[in-house]
């Protein structure tokens, strides 16, 4: 039996390097299948999605991934149109969704929401973003992108810039990178440094430096992972306005980077990467979004098939 079978994906911390690499191998395998063989993998299986926060890529990539392996999807993309609006609890909504689907994908504003849903659901739950806490499948896609584009993860110098306080993709990525031998530079405005309550967890896993100045590191990096300032999570709009537009990656900055460095972003991008950068060979954020479909297809295939595929 494959170890992912019928298991939840709540936190990237639950996975070691060997398991993460197994997901990469499965993703490579699935990418090589021809479309008709690929559509046999999860024929007749249903993915249910439940999104309490906006999403474009995560929901659609799960949807596209499921279709590409022959399954179908149903769900609630906007809770305002569901009975949650009438006051139905998360617990009841999850219970109902797990009757109609073989696997549940949940995005919710609260930390701990996916862990809670997994306790209630009879079907496996995948965390598609839990508050400011984690977004494990994004980290898998980010790590896979680094591996594909740089041919390795160990030994790389990785800068992570932007909203390190509220950006959940940053936390999952850092926990995931903890399995590798990497040199991590965290770059953010002072008020958006990594949260104190998570520093201990991260320090246990990897070494990093913190700085407010991108220029200090720019010519040294192999990977620059840019994040959006998470406006919606600021308790106070004034605080957001102070840091809005703190960093903008443009062609001038790119000139200072190593020729073979790559720029990643979980997207959506607001103004932190100038659109001029999109057409350069270093910009890999659209490839990253595409890899997300394949890593998710691999995960769904392993979770829903006892013997893998
Ligand atoms: C991220 C998220 O929802 O955490 N988006 C995504 O899933 N790719 C990043 C963000 O919203 O900034």
């Amino acid at each position: 039996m494959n170890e992912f079978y019928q298991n939840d994906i709540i936190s990237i911390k639950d996975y070691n390097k060997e398991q993460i690499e197994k997901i990469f191998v499965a993703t490579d395998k699935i990418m090589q299948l021809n479309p008709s063989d690929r559509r046999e993998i999860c024929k007749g299986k249903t993915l249910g999605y439940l999104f309490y926060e906006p999403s474009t890529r995560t929901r659609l990539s799960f949807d596209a991934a499921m279709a590409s392996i022959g399954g179908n999807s149903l769900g609630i993309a906007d809770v305002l149109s569901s009975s949650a609006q009438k006051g139905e609890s998360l617990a009841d909504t999850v219970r109902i969704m797990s009757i109609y689907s073989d696997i549940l994908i949940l995005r919710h504003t609260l930390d701990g929401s996916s862990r809670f849903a997994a306790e209630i659901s009879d079907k496996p739950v995948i965390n598609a973003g839990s508050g400011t806490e984690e977004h494990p499948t994004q980290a898998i896609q980010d790590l896979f992108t680094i591996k594909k584009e740089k041919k390795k993860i160990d030994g790389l110098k990785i800068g992570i810039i932007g909203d390190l306080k509220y950006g959940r993709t940053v936390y999952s990525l850092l926990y995931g990178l903890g399995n590798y031998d990497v040199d991590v530079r965290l770059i953010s405005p002072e008020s958006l440094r990594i949260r104190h309550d998570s520093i201990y967890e991260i320090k246990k896993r990897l070494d990093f430096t913190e700085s407010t100045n991108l220029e200090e590191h720019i010519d040294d990096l192999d990977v620059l992972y840019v994040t959006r300032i998470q406006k919606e999570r600021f308790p106070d709009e004034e605080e957001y306005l102070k840091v809005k537009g703190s960093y903008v990656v443009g062609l001038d900055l790119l000139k200072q980077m190593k020729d073979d460095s790559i720029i990643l972003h979980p997207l959506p991008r607001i103004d932190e990467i100038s659109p001029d950068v999109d057409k350069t060979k270093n910009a890999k954020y659209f490839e990253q979004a595409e890899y997300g479909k394949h890593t998710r297809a691999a995960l769904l295939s392993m979770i829903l098939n006892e013997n893998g595929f």
Side-chain angles (χ1 to χ4, degrees), residues 110-117 130-131 133:
L110 292 178
D111 294 12
S113 48
S114 283
R115 186 98 42 210
F116 171 70
S130 47
E133 178 191 38

Side-chain angles (χ1 to χ4, degrees), residues 20-273:
I20 291 172
E21 297 278 332
K22 272 188 192 157
I23 302 169
F24 294 169
V25 170
T27 306
D28 277 327
K29 195 169 146 196
I30 222 163
M31 285 170 76
Q32 279 155 23
L33 288 180
N34 70 49
S36 66
D37 287 344
R38 188 165 162 153
R39 277 195 296 273
E40 291 299 315
I41 300 174
C42 279
K43 220 171 177 172
K45 300 265 169 50
T46 301
L47 171 150
Y49 53 80
L50 188 52
F51 277 61
Y52 285 79
E53 282 186 356
S55 169
T56 298
R57 270 149 300 271
T58 304
R59 191 174 62 75
L60 293 180
S61 65
F62 266 115
D63 212 340
M66 195 55 169
S68 76
I69 51 177
N72 53 70
S73 316
L74 54 84
I76 298 166
D78 173 9
V79 282
L80 294 179
S81 67
S82 79
S83 289
Q85 190 63 7
K86 300 179 190 165
E88 186 161 46
S89 65
L90 174 63
D92 281 359
T93 311
V94 165
R95 226 167 256 136
I96 297 304
M97 289 288 300
S98 76
I99 296 172
Y100 301 139
S101 24
D102 298 299
I103 185 162
L104 228 90
I105 315 297
L106 175 69
R107 170 169 289 187
H108 197 278
T109 46
L110 292 178
D111 294 12
S113 48
S114 283
R115 186 98 42 210
F116 171 70
E119 282 165 17
I120 288 161
S121 172
D122 294 335
K123 307 290 168 52
V125 171
I126 297 185
N127 178 3
S130 47
T132 58
E133 178 191 38
E134 271 215 58
H135 191 348
T137 63
Q138 179 71 44
I140 291 167
Q141 134 186 23
D142 298 342
L143 294 170
F144 184 78
T145 307
I146 297 172
K147 181 97 190 239
K148 275 285 173 208
E149 299 296 334
K150 297 299 300 174
K151 311 286 176 240
K152 61 174 187 177
I153 299 178
D154 284 317
L156 294 180
K157 294 191 172 69
I158 301 178
I160 305 181
I161 184 165
D163 188 344
L164 311 184
K165 182 175 186 184
Y166 297 118
R168 58 192 167 202
T169 69
V170 171
Y171 291 85
S172 287
L173 179 60
L174 286 170
Y175 301 139
L177 283 173
N179 291 295
Y180 296 87
D181 175 21
V182 284
D183 172 352
V184 172
R185 323 276 175 90
L186 300 179
I187 304 147
S188 71
E190 192 60 42
S191 64
L192 295 181
R193 284 168 61 178
I194 210 91
R195 292 193 297 273
H196 269 293
D197 55 352
S198 306
I199 282 203
Y200 175 70
E201 261 305 317
I202 298 165
K203 275 203 176 132
K204 258 192 337 203
R205 290 159 202 271
L206 87 178
D207 290 329
F208 59 86
T209 61
E210 291 185 271
S211 157
T212 55
N213 186 357
L214 176 59
E215 306 266 334
E216 260 172 35
H217 300 283
I218 195 72
D219 55 349
D220 222 14
L221 300 175
D222 300 300
V223 179
L224 178 62
Y225 186 93
V226 187
T227 65
R228 171 179 75 90
I229 309 275
Q230 308 273 301
K231 180 179 182 198
E232 70 280 19
R233 305 203 191 277
F234 280 68
D236 181 352
E237 165 113 21
E238 279 297 305
E239 289 301 311
Y240 167 71
L241 292 173
K242 282 187 205 158
V243 288
K244 179 178 178 275
S246 292
Y247 304 98
V248 178
V249 177
L251 290 177
D252 47 335
L253 206 86
L254 190 61
K255 274 198 208 109
Q256 300 175 53
M257 294 183 71
K258 285 187 194 167
D259 189 53
D260 63 349
S261 60
I262 59 169
I263 301 173
L264 303 183
H265 192 309
L267 303 176
R269 145 189 59 186
I270 309 305
D271 53 9
E272 56 280 358
I273 301 180

Side-chain angles (χ1 to χ4, degrees), residues 1-15:
M1 192 171 84
N2 96 73
E3 64 197 297
F4 295 89
Y5 182 59
Q6 292 298 318
N7 274 331
D8 307 305
I9 300 190
I10 306 300
S11 166
I12 193 82
K13 288 187 252 177
D14 298 333
Y15 297 88

